[in-house]
Amino acid sequence: MTQKVAVLGTGKIGEALLSGMIGAGWSPADLLVTARRQERADELRARYGVTPVTNAEAAKTADTLILTVKPQDMGTLLDELAPHVPADRLVISGAAGVPTSFFEERLATGTPVVRVMTNTPALVDEAMSVISAGTHATAGHLAHAEEIFGAVGKTLRVPESQQDACTALSGSGPAYFFYLVEAMTDAGILLGLPRDKAHDLIVQSAIGAAKMLRDSGEHPVKLRENVTSPAGTTINAIRELESHGVRAALIAALEAARDRSRELASGTKD
């Protein structure tokens, strides 16, 4: 039986999902999209061959609804969808900090909800998507969500109680690396390198280090020690990082991100 999937609020992440699913073999005829602007809907139709519909039409027609609007817009969207969503529809939320209970309270009793926290590397099919089941979601629903988000990267199942921590580490994670690259580029300029050369050196070093972390099976401490010669340049740099409290600052930053995710879940938006 053909499964129809609708992506509601198709921004950058929603479009990345569409592209990944089609690349993984999904038929554009089975994919529906909604967009706030007609021009955006027309663009998606022209680019991917998918069918633009209204939110209500998506709720009535699709077997799976993927909600990719901003957290602060989710309540309004659910108010619009609730009269049209049968209890056998799978609802997948990609909104940071919004618990599955928020959806279950507003939709028909028994509606299966799966919560997914993905990140912006979905745009290059290298996402890390963390998946949790709501009260009525089954193993089959989780597998279906994994199939969808596996088209744009890796997936990991966790209890929903760990979602805020995963948001801090992975959902926001790319920004920390971009921030680090920005700082290292500035350092390269201070050391006398042109910006473009500093950028290329750092980016390739980051790609190589990430592949070593992924593929070698070695602990990061071991990999770091392999670069750190006695009385060499690397240990001097690490001494400065430690003396400036970089490790403690990272831990505090991730705790702050986790706490903000909890605030969003409790309804604190400002």
Side-chain angles (χ1 to χ4, degrees), residues 4-8 55 58-67 81 85 89-93:
K4 285 195 174 293
V5 175
V7 180
L8 282 69
N55 290 329
K60 295 174 185 176
T61 306
D63 302 286
T64 300
L65 305 174
I66 305 175
L67 313 185
L81 293 178
V85 180
R89 295 290 191 266
L90 171 59
V91 175
I92 300 176
S93 165

Side-chain angles (χ1 to χ4, degrees), residues 60-142:
K60 295 174 185 176
T61 306
D63 302 286
T64 300
L65 305 174
I66 305 175
L67 313 185
T68 63
V69 302
K70 291 178 170 39
Q72 60 267 30
D73 297 329
M74 195 61 77
T76 301
L77 176 60
L78 289 177
D79 288 342
E80 183 180 352
L81 293 178
H84 309 290
V85 180
D88 62 349
R89 295 290 191 266
L90 171 59
V91 175
I92 300 176
S93 165
V98 183
T100 55
S101 59
F102 183 87
F103 301 86
E104 292 166 349
E105 291 165 1
R106 289 161 175 79
L107 298 173
T109 301
T111 300
V113 180
V114 172
R115 178 177 171 183
V116 180
M117 180 70 251
T118 192
N119 56 18
T120 55
L123 301 172
V124 292
D125 294 341
E126 291 289 351
M128 183 69 249
S129 300
V130 183
I131 298 175
S132 302
T135 304
H136 309 292
T138 66
H141 293 130
L142 287 173

